[in-house]
Amino acid sequence: QDDTGVNSFLDPAFSHVNVQNGDYTLLIFDRGRTIGKQSGTAADTWTIPANASVAYRIGAWVAFDNDSGDTVDIAITTDTLVGTDGLTGTRTLGDNQRAVIQKIAATRWRYSASDL
């Protein structure tokens, strides 16, 4: 709960920002949150873990925001990440770009970004 007594985690109109200015692997509590890069001079990789190690529910989403001056690779381990353009695998999120992933099947995620 926040200081107003509202459980913002359950509010679909609100997303906590988890700042990660380095390589990072998503955790179960990142669902419904925004992973943000706000500084750094090197490209980083944020990794979506395999369903076998972190079993998000189908429909779960995670947003990404890059405001760092560099790129961020959105990578996946053994599952499938597919973009709205039909391409699969690691995607590169440019500076000043946003993306959202949503789990659409047990081992499949959809990637949609402002730079596609």
Side-chain angles (χ1 to χ4, degrees):
Q1 290 187 359
D2 65 16
D3 56 0
T4 66
V6 174
N7 188 341
S8 59
F9 183 74
L10 299 177
D11 182 352
F14 183 85
S15 177
H16 287 280
V17 177
N18 176 359
V19 176
Q20 296 294 327
N21 294 316
D23 293 341
Y24 181 69
T25 298
L26 298 179
L27 302 171
I28 192 69
F29 70 81
D30 286 320
R31 72 187 185 283
R33 293 187 175 187
T34 299
I35 309 302
K37 181 176 179 181
Q38 297 175 348
S39 66
T41 58
D44 294 314
T45 300
W46 294 338
T47 304
I48 305 161
N51 185 67
S53 63
V54 179
Y56 291 95
R57 290 177 53 189
I58 293 172
W61 62 270
V62 178
F64 302 99
D65 186 78
N66 182 12
D67 189 27
S68 69
D70 210 322
T71 61
V72 176
D73 286 337
I74 310 298
I76 194 156
T77 54
T78 58
D79 297 342
T80 301
L81 176 63
V82 62
T84 55
D85 56 4
L87 299 176
T88 59
T90 299
R91 306 306 295 246
T92 299
L93 187 64
D95 184 32
N96 296 311
Q97 300 296 318
R98 297 183 51 82
V100 174
I101 59 169
Q102 186 171 31
K103 189 169 187 177
I104 58 173
T107 60
R108 190 172 177 86
W109 291 81
R110 172 88 58 214
Y111 176 96
S112 176
S114 59
D115 59 347
L116 283 179

